[in-house]
Amino acid sequence: MVDSFNHCSFGYLRSFVKGVWSFCKGVMNSKSWVFQSFNGVIVVGSLLSFILAIAYAYLFLFPIFQPAIDNSHEIPHSNNSISECNYFEGNWVQDENYPLYDASHCPFAERGFNCLANGRRDRGYTKWRWKPKNCEIPRFNAREILEKMRGKRVVFVGDSLGRTQWESLICMLMTGVEDKRSVYEVNGNKITKQIRFLGVRFSLFDLRIDFYRSVFLVQPGPVPRRAPKRVKSTLKIDKLDEISNEWIDSDVLIFNSGHWWTPSKLFEMGCYFTAGGSLKLGLPITGAFKKAMHTWASWANTTINANRTSMFIRTFESSHWSGRNRLSCKVTRRPSSRTGGRDRSRISDIIIQAVKKMAVPVKVLHVTPMGAFRSDAHVGAWSDNPSVPDCSHWCLPGVPDMWNEILLSNLLSNN
């Protein structure tokens, strides 16, 4: 880059100086009255000084080389290698090739996430694509992905945000299937938040994409004897969810957690933590989540076969609640120009630190910063229950599609 600067900058300067010299030479060779007196020397000197001043001003105001302004955050890499492409440092750009699918034509997209079907009129939020700063995410090709994932099992584990990503991936891939009847839920279940396991099979490709609902990733527990009356339930933060044995036999494994680790979902509901069989009443939520992530990491280190399973974990997904008690939900028509501090999360930091210490390779899908701008893409009042606004979940199609494009790009680059 420096060599380019030297060559370009001085090339332009050399041309400029040659022009100035030709001009002055012409003046000196002329029989103008200027050189017939001592005043002529002063005039020429002043002229040259003026021209040089203009040249320096030009280079100062319109430099050929301008250093890039880096106002990005430190983005984590996987714990086993540094990827050439940092997918999570970039910006949203408008793209008329989006959306990738119509949720109304996808039987696996929940009605509650289909904002257009629920009355949202503006479609601009579906026309944005995430563009990494120093590389490109390959254009999505459903048929190509299906062929490369033939015979595989993909498993999502997490909360309703994880289920949204699961639904998104299925709808994306269904665009590459001609016979839609060949894609079905293995138990004939409809897609609802009440069911703990959902599995969709692409029979023509022998591909399974499963979802397991495990909002905390660790085991729920009973109320210990002699516990205070305020304790209604517990979480065993030193024990992974009892259904974790069903996650092992997978080729791709994607986790998420975080949105349930809040006072309203825990302490205000009478849910507290236990470890080693002891009640930990004074343990704060962040401390408990850190211990839960340690439990998850230990399980992965001793259980996951890295030669078969590609493992991912997604960071906290930015929400856009506002107001005094963060109960107001105002969905904008365009992405925000500022993050408002939503590009950082203590939950995300804990996830990133846990992965750094792991022995098994895990890639972090650090979606927190990229989602911080998308105040336009939440469900808002366009859900199956419009009386309850939603600034946590995302419309489909929408932001989760981009998570999956990055996920697939990682998988294809590894293969």
Side-chain angles (χ1 to χ4, degrees):
M1 184 175 291
V2 174
D3 290 340
S4 177
F5 161 65
N6 291 337
H7 180 268
C8 294
S9 299
F10 290 111
Y12 283 117
L13 184 59
R14 189 182 300 114
S15 300
F16 182 84
V17 171
K18 283 183 178 180
V20 172
W21 174 247
S22 298
F23 173 80
C24 294
K25 187 175 180 181
V27 172
M28 288 186 291
N29 288 337
S30 69
K31 295 183 179 180
S32 173
W33 62 272
V34 174
F35 293 101
Q36 295 177 6
S37 66
F38 177 74
N39 291 337
V41 176
I42 297 176
V43 170
V44 171
S46 299
L47 179 62
L48 286 172
S49 299
F50 174 74
I51 292 173
L52 288 173
I54 292 297
Y56 281 116
Y58 177 85
L59 290 175
F60 179 78
L61 293 174
F62 306 100
I64 302 302
F65 172 74
Q66 297 177 337
I69 299 174
D70 185 3
N71 57 2
S72 61
H73 302 291
E74 181 183 356
I75 308 296
H77 298 287
S78 62
N79 59 340
N80 64 317
S81 64
I82 297 178
S83 173
E84 292 183 2
C85 179
N86 187 339
Y87 294 102
F88 305 101
E89 183 181 349
N91 60 289
W92 292 95
V93 296
Q94 287 184 296
D95 192 326
E96 289 300 319
N97 292 314
Y98 284 74
L100 298 174
Y101 58 89
D102 184 342
S104 295
H105 294 160
C106 178
F108 303 101
E110 279 181 70
R111 177 62 186 262
F113 301 144
N114 188 350
C115 298
L116 293 174
N118 292 324
R120 184 166 183 174
R121 295 183 178 181
D122 65 298
R123 296 173 176 266
Y125 71 93
T126 68
K127 300 291 185 180
W128 294 88
R129 170 175 60 88
W130 179 255
K131 185 182 184 309
K133 183 178 179 180
N134 296 318
C135 53
E136 290 288 344
I137 298 173
R139 287 288 181 177
F140 177 71
N141 184 319
R143 191 73 184 190
E144 178 185 356
I145 299 295
L146 285 166
E147 289 293 348
K148 291 187 176 181
M149 295 181 70
R150 185 181 290 275
K152 304 296 184 182
R153 182 181 182 230
V154 180
V155 173
F156 288 86
V157 180
D159 53 28
S160 54
L161 277 300
R163 191 175 71 252
T164 309
Q165 185 179 6
W166 172 78
E167 294 175 22
S168 161
L169 180 60
I170 294 169
C171 292
M172 289 167 65
L173 292 177
M174 279 196 71
T175 62
V177 178
E178 293 182 7
D179 183 4
K180 308 301 182 185
R181 295 172 299 178
S182 67
V183 183
Y184 55 87
E185 205 284 324
V186 293
N187 293 317
N189 292 318
K190 292 185 177 181
I191 311 303
T192 66
K193 60 185 178 182
Q194 284 80 20
I195 299 178
R196 196 162 192 209
F197 166 75
L198 291 163
V200 169
R201 183 167 185 262
F202 288 72
S203 59
L204 298 179
F205 298 89
D206 191 23
L207 168 65
R208 274 275 298 271
I209 304 180
D210 297 341
F211 170 75
Y212 290 87
R213 186 175 185 269
S214 181
V215 298
F216 296 110
L217 300 183
V218 291
Q219 286 185 24
V223 178
R225 295 178 60 186
R226 300 188 181 88
K229 289 185 178 180
R230 70 176 186 271
V231 181
K232 307 298 182 184
S233 62
T234 61
L235 281 179
K236 299 178 181 180
I237 54 177
D238 58 342
K239 301 287 184 182
L240 206 66
D241 197 319
E242 57 189 4
I243 60 172
S244 58
N245 62 312
E246 298 182 31
W247 312 336
I248 300 171
D249 185 27
S250 58
D251 298 286
V252 184
L253 186 54
I254 307 104
F255 291 91
N256 92 286
S257 187
H259 276 273
W260 282 66
W261 292 86
T262 63
S264 63
K265 299 284 189 181
L266 292 167
F267 298 154
E268 294 174 19
M269 300 295 291
C271 185
Y272 291 83
F273 311 114
T274 63
S278 300
L279 187 62
K280 307 294 182 180
L281 287 177
L283 184 63
I285 290 176
T286 53
F289 184 70
K290 186 180 295 185
K291 175 60 178 174
M293 281 293 97
H294 175 75
T295 300
W296 167 80
S298 298
W299 169 84
N301 284 336
T302 57
T303 307
I304 295 300
N305 178 7
N307 291 324
R308 176 188 174 181
T309 304
S310 297
M311 191 168 166
F312 298 82
I313 186 167
R314 201 174 70 250
T315 58
F316 190 79
E317 307 87 353
S318 303
S319 59
H320 286 84
W321 296 97
S322 58
R324 189 172 184 179
N325 297 316
R326 300 189 68 80
L327 296 175
S328 177
C329 177
K330 296 180 180 179
V331 178
T332 59
R333 292 182 66 89
R334 292 177 60 86
S336 303
S337 58
R338 298 181 180 180
T339 64
R342 295 179 176 88
D343 54 340
R344 292 187 179 276
S345 162
R346 182 67 182 130
I347 292 292
S348 296
D349 293 341
I350 293 172
I351 291 172
I352 292 166
Q353 291 303 315
V355 169
K356 284 182 178 179
K357 299 175 183 178
M358 293 177 67
V360 65
V362 179
K363 290 206 172 186
V364 177
L365 300 175
H366 190 25
V367 302
T368 310
M370 62 188 288
F373 297 97
R374 296 307 305 275
S375 56
D376 62 319
H378 287 293
V379 169
W382 300 286
S383 69
D384 51 357
N385 186 8
S387 62
V388 181
D390 186 350
C391 267
S392 294
H393 295 92
W394 306 95
C395 297
L396 289 182
V399 171
D401 305 332
M402 208 66 244
W403 302 344
N404 283 322
E405 286 200 73
I406 294 173
L407 169 69
L408 294 170
S409 184
N410 266 284
L411 289 172
L412 294 181
S413 64
N414 288 346
N415 293 332

